[in-house]
Amino acid sequence: MKKKISFSTQGRRADIGEYVINRILPNRYAEAVGPFVFLDHLFPAKHSPGEPLKKVNGTGAHPHRGIATLTYILNGEADHFDSRGNHAKVNSGGAQWMKAGNGIIHDESVNVDSQTNDLLTHAMQFWVNLPAKNKAELPEYLPLQAKEIPHRELSDEKGWIKVIVGEYEKLASKIPNYSKQFLYHIHLEAGKQFSIATENGLEYAAFLPENNVVINDTEFKAGEFIEFDRSEGTIEISNKSEVAIDIILFGGEKYTESIVAQGPFVMNSEAEIVQAYRDFHAGKYGKIQFNRMN
């Protein structure tokens, strides 16, 4: 039996500086999917040769608390600095995970990939809400290049699946979990079909970054967010086009604690939000040492 679809919706523009962004989650229908409380889609863009690089110099530095940020780079090169002394560059197909925990400041940029020189940028950033007990922990950072993300070819040359978060069959991501959660990138070749079984009690959603896709016999357009209901069933993905398509499937266990979000902080009460701002303004999140890192 195919899983029923609750609703679908497009995001809303939420540009940040020069970055053209569509905010997919939260939206008018959904506050969260499993532990995922936020999804920004950096639109795919083709850049000119010799275009000036976006520098990480502190102008975009900002704090986080109570969440883990997860940036997935489809095309491009992400440069990350934070106030815990972490610095890394992640290239096309890679991801970077940062547990903000009890407070961190970071800055990041996305430029064309210096290794592929395809002149493309395209990325997504998720926020994963931490359980209350983990919001008080120290920050952590984990960069993963494409080769470090579990990947499997699908049967009959249908395409492939990448496990960015969680597990799929015998594939397991290195990114830490604090509840049952998953984030898959499914690439499906022209004319192919792929079905995935769902687990009872988990929340499921799909995002279509670039292509129209038929899901459970209904066609959805590029840029749509699709949420499934809580009933059991399979998710059947069909590519009826003449080109390969990509689908992002994510979700997990329902977050059962209170969610209070304001700006870059996601906590469990208004009082905790107030404290998050107080600690930030008191300098407790540290400072990024750009001169030392560059």
Side-chain angles (χ1 to χ4, degrees):
M1 183 176 68
K2 294 175 184 176
K3 197 169 180 64
K4 294 180 181 179
I5 293 167
S6 299
F7 67 88
S8 66
T9 186
Q10 293 277 352
R12 60 181 177 84
R13 285 289 291 274
D15 296 353
I16 300 173
E18 300 177 52
Y19 296 107
V20 181
I21 288 171
N22 212 22
R23 183 147 299 158
I24 306 302
L25 187 71
N27 55 58
R28 58 180 175 168
Y29 302 113
E31 183 182 49
V33 182
F36 294 91
V37 292
F38 182 91
L39 168 56
D40 264 3
H41 178 217
L42 175 64
F43 279 106
K46 184 80 171 182
H47 299 267
S48 302
E51 183 176 315
L53 297 179
K54 296 178 177 66
K55 298 290 186 180
V56 184
N57 56 18
T59 56
H62 58 279
H64 285 296
R65 185 164 173 165
I67 57 169
T69 63
L70 174 62
T71 304
Y72 178 44
I73 308 297
L74 288 92
N75 303 92
E77 185 173 280
D79 198 3
H80 167 98
F81 293 86
D82 67 45
S83 57
R84 299 287 294 183
N86 298 302
H87 174 220
K89 288 187 178 182
V90 173
N91 299 90
S92 301
Q96 53 183 1
W97 173 88
M98 182 186 76
K99 183 177 79 173
N102 63 4
I104 195 169
I105 298 171
H106 77 143
D107 197 359
E108 55 191 338
S109 66
V110 178
N111 287 294
V112 298
D113 193 331
S114 60
Q115 296 183 357
T116 65
N117 200 33
D118 61 8
L119 300 178
L120 294 172
T121 54
H122 187 197
M124 286 172 276
Q125 186 174 89
F126 297 82
W127 291 4
V128 182
N129 199 5
L130 297 173
K133 64 182 181 180
N134 302 111
K135 291 180 185 290
E137 295 176 346
L138 292 175
E140 298 178 31
Y141 175 69
L142 177 66
L144 294 173
Q145 300 295 349
K147 64 183 179 181
E148 299 175 278
I149 297 178
H151 169 281
R152 174 178 295 167
E153 299 292 326
L154 302 176
S155 61
D156 301 323
E157 299 182 338
K158 292 178 182 178
W160 46 259
I161 183 169
K162 288 175 66 175
V163 180
I164 303 161
V165 173
E167 299 179 355
Y168 175 74
E169 295 182 349
K170 294 183 180 180
L171 301 179
S173 172
K174 294 180 181 179
I175 291 175
N177 286 331
Y178 298 93
S179 63
K180 186 169 284 188
Q181 55 194 259
F182 60 89
L183 172 58
Y184 306 144
H185 178 177
I186 300 165
H187 180 83
L188 200 58
E189 297 295 338
K192 299 295 184 177
Q193 186 178 87
F194 173 70
S195 293
I196 188 167
T198 64
E199 185 174 332
N200 192 31
L202 299 189
E203 299 181 341
Y204 288 79
F207 173 62
L208 313 181
E210 287 192 273
N211 313 100
N212 291 2
V213 178
V214 175
I215 300 176
N216 289 356
D217 304 316
T218 300
E219 183 173 8
F220 297 94
K221 297 185 180 299
E224 283 199 80
F225 167 93
I226 301 106
E227 184 167 307
F228 300 86
D229 74 359
R230 306 296 180 259
S231 61
E232 295 183 26
T234 59
I235 296 174
E236 182 184 88
I237 303 165
S238 302
N239 183 1
K240 299 186 181 296
S241 70
E242 297 180 356
V243 296
I245 60 174
D246 293 279
I247 306 97
I248 304 297
L249 187 67
F250 66 99
E253 290 180 288
K254 181 178 176 62
Y255 191 88
T256 57
E257 298 170 320
S258 299
I259 300 176
V260 181
Q262 189 175 119
F265 306 129
V266 182
M267 304 302 292
N268 301 115
S269 69
E270 293 287 351
E272 290 174 337
I273 291 288
V274 171
Q275 190 62 50
Y277 276 105
R278 284 177 177 166
D279 288 348
F280 168 60
H281 290 299
K284 293 184 178 181
Y285 297 175
K287 186 177 181 181
I288 304 175
Q289 302 295 327
F290 290 100
N291 292 335
R292 180 173 60 83
M293 293 177 178
N294 281 316

